């Protein structure tokens, strides 16, 4: 992974402010095709985390932020049937990651103020391990749901903390680390869906072993981030040069658009993870193939994670690109209405490319903010509120599917949300610094 080289010379021609950040002073708003000078070190006063350790830390946490959620979709019917539940329970479990990411994500900044960014990751992933290992043994549906929620504490806090951590320690490696982060989110999500059925052991309760596997894997980031914590100690970003932020970042029009974009994209992603396997099996596809198709949607996120941080840093046409992602998302749902099984892999590819909106939204959080504290505040608002939007949408999708018995009706509803996603993305991608908007 090549470093993104930075200098203090006048910026070259770009269309968007770079994710690598700049000195804390507000500075000029980005010119058309312009960025601001960037700094190649950790935030002032913060201990430096070496390049190798930073890469290992981001790698291990990124890979483990999604499998606990995405591995459940292909096993949903087995889990729900075991606990004697129906469609409403499927909708609840589908929406649970978004609910957790929204509600618990709001606690990320307050918690990290007390225990630091790194300490928050360590503590939350201890809970992830416990939740993932214990939930397969749950004797009731509500116990299973509660343990699933416990397992989502780490992802909920990590969603907010990791981009801010990268901003704090990335320096000239920030674009590279954000590329690594968003790419491996896709890898983890795709792996959870694709391997859920193959990891099942023989027997009626083989799904329990499949779910338990991810708890064993989640031990790795705990160990790595304990090593990081020994070097960083308490590492919440210090106040900006102007002092503590007393203005909500949601007063920024760009932050509002980014919140809506993030929420609609997450709604689409988690509805796909949770309900697409049922739609495909209902169309005659085997559970194994349905899991692989669903996993392929997430797998496209790997490519999106690789390319979007650099595109954001350099493209002159980012708003139009973000709009196109929404149109492709809508087109994928229309394709599933017309040919759900015969064209499944094609529509999965269209939905997957539309899903590039997710790494775009993630990369825009540091790209549209200068100071690490603004990045943390922005991440702590955009992601929790966005996930609450997503949760409401996913529950609605499950209720519509259960009430109508029609996958086409639910897919038509999702196509409309895809178009709205494109419009929000068009506004969020404009080359504006949120620091400047809230300063006004």
């Amino acid at each position: 992974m090549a470093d993104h080289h930075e200098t203090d010379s006048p910026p070259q021609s770009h269309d968007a402010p770079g994710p690598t950040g700049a000195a804390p002073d507000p500075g000029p708003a980005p010119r058309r095709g312009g960025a601001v000078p960037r700094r190649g070190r950790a935030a002032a006063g913060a201990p430096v985390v070496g390049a190798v350790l930073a890469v290992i830390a981001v790698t291990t946490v990124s890979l483990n932020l999604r499998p606990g959620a995405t591995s459940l979709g292909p096993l949903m019917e087995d889990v729900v049937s075991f606990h004697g539940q129906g469609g409403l329970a499927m909708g609840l479990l589908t929406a649970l990651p978004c609910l957790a990411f929204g509600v618990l994500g709001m606690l990320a900044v307050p918690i990290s103020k007390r225990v630091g960014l790194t300490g928050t990751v360590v503590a939350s992933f201890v809970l992830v391990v416990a939740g993932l290992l214990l939930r397969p043994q749950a004797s009731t549906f509500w116990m299973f749901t509660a343990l699933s929620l416990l397992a989502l504490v780490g992802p909920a806090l990590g969603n907010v903390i990791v981009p801010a951590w990268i901003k704090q320690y990335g320096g000239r490696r920030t674009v590279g680390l954000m590329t690594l982060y968003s790419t491996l989110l896709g890898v983890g999500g795709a792996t959870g869906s694709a391997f859920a059925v193959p990891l099942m052991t023989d027997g009626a309760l083989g799904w329990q072993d499949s779910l338990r596997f991810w708890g064993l894997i989640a031990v790795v980031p705990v160990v790595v981030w304990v090593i990081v914590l020994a070097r960083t100690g308490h590492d919440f970003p210090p106040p900006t040069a102007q002092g503590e932020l007393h203005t909500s970042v949601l007063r920024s029009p760009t932050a509002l658009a980014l919140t809506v974009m993030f929420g609609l994209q997450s709604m689409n992603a988690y509805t796909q993870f949770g309900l697409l396997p049922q739609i495909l099996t209902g169309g005659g596809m085997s559970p194994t193939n349905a899991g692989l198709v669903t996993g392929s949607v997430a797998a496209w996120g790997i490519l999106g994670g690789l390319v979007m941080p650099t595109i954001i840093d350099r493209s002159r046409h980012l708003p139009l690109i973000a709009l196109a992602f929404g149109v492709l998302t809508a087109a994928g749902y229309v394709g599933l209405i017309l040919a759900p099984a015969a064209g499944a892999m094609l529509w999965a590819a269209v939905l997957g490319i539309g899903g590039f909106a997710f790494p775009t939204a993630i990369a825009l959080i540091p790209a549209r903010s200068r100071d690490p504290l603004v990045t943390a505040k922005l991440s702590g608002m955009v992601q929790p509120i966005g996930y609450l939007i997503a949760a409401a949408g996913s529950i609605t999708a499950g209720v519509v599917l259960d009430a109508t018995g029609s996958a086409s009706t639910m897919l038509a509803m999702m196509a409309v949300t895809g178009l709205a996603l494109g419009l929000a993305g068009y506004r969020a991608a404009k080359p504006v610094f949120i620091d400047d908007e809230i300063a006004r």
Side-chain angles (χ1 to χ4, degrees):
M1 181 180 65
D3 287 346
H4 186 78
H5 298 290
E6 302 168 0
T7 69
D8 290 328
S9 59
Q12 300 300 313
S13 176
H14 300 301
D15 190 48
T20 47
D25 61 280
R31 301 182 298 274
R32 171 175 171 77
V36 293
R38 301 163 182 162
R39 57 185 173 182
R41 58 184 178 84
V48 175
V49 176
V52 173
L53 183 56
V55 168
I56 294 172
V58 171
T59 296
T60 55
V61 75
S62 302
L63 285 172
N64 283 275
L65 285 173
R66 294 295 178 265
T70 62
S71 60
L72 185 56
L75 308 176
M76 188 79 74
E77 290 185 349
D78 291 324
V79 173
V80 170
S81 296
F82 175 78
H83 291 292
Q85 301 295 316
L88 185 59
M90 285 188 182
L92 175 60
L93 289 176
T94 299
L96 190 64
C98 295
L99 284 169
F101 296 166
V103 175
L104 298 176
M106 290 182 180
L107 303 176
V109 172
I111 291 173
S112 60
K113 279 185 176 180
R114 290 183 171 271
V115 300
L117 299 176
T118 305
T120 300
V121 173
V122 172
S124 63
F125 262 84
V126 170
L127 299 180
V128 170
V129 173
L132 291 178
L133 290 177
L134 292 174
R135 75 172 176 175
Q137 303 303 124
S139 58
T140 68
F141 173 74
W142 295 112
M143 184 180 294
F144 182 92
T145 303
L147 289 169
S148 295
L149 182 61
L150 184 68
L152 291 167
V153 171
L157 301 184
N159 289 335
V160 176
I161 297 303
V162 176
W165 190 92
I166 291 173
K167 187 78 170 185
Q168 178 90 333
Y169 295 109
R172 66 177 54 136
R173 296 183 294 272
T174 296
V175 169
L177 288 174
M178 282 304 299
T179 300
L180 182 68
Y181 170 65
S182 54
T183 300
L184 295 183
L185 280 179
V187 172
T191 301
S193 294
F195 284 87
V197 174
L199 284 171
M200 290 177 65
T201 55
D202 294 335
L205 300 181
W207 58 268
Q208 293 181 330
D209 292 324
S210 178
L211 291 178
R212 192 178 296 111
F213 172 82
W214 304 107
L216 299 175
I217 297 299
V219 173
V220 177
V222 174
V223 174
V224 171
W225 281 73
V226 164
I227 296 171
V228 176
L229 181 61
R231 297 193 177 193
T232 64
H234 186 283
D235 56 353
F236 188 77
T240 66
Q242 290 74 37
E244 270 288 355
L245 295 178
H246 299 293
T247 301
S248 170
V249 293
L250 287 183
R251 293 185 62 182
S252 156
T254 300
L256 284 172
L258 184 55
T259 300
V260 174
M261 176 190 183
F262 191 93
L264 291 176
Q265 198 291 320
S266 298
M267 170 190 172
N268 279 275
Y270 284 94
T271 300
Q272 291 163 19
F273 294 150
L275 298 181
L276 187 56
Q278 282 68 54
I279 293 171
L280 295 175
T281 54
M285 186 175 289
S286 71
T288 298
N289 288 337
L292 290 173
V293 171
T294 303
S296 74
V297 176
W300 278 97
I302 300 169
L303 177 60
L306 282 170
V307 303
M308 289 314 301
T310 300
I311 288 175
I312 288 171
D313 195 40
R314 300 177 180 179
S315 175
R316 297 176 178 272
H317 307 291
L318 188 59
L320 291 176
I321 293 171
L323 176 63
F325 293 153
V327 173
L328 286 172
T329 298
Y333 290 124
V334 173
L336 284 171
I337 293 173
L338 299 176
M345 289 303 296
L346 172 61
W347 310 132
V350 174
L351 288 172
I353 297 172
F356 284 16
F358 177 74
T360 300
I362 287 291
L364 281 172
I365 292 174
R368 293 298 179 263
S369 55
R370 286 195 188 93
D371 192 274
L373 182 59
V374 176
T375 304
K377 296 280 189 178
L378 178 64
S379 188
M381 294 295 289
V382 168
Q383 297 200 59
I385 294 175
Y387 278 124
L388 289 177
I389 295 172
S394 294
I395 291 174
T396 302
V399 169
V400 168
L401 183 61
D402 192 43
T404 65
S406 169
S408 295
T409 302
M410 188 272 284
L411 291 170
M413 181 193 80
M414 298 302 298
V416 173
T417 70
L419 295 176
L421 163 65
L423 293 174
Y426 181 87
R427 175 59 185 84
K430 288 181 177 292
V432 177
F433 277 120
I434 288 167
D435 308 54
D436 298 332
E437 290 184 329
I438 63 176
R440 299 190 194 111

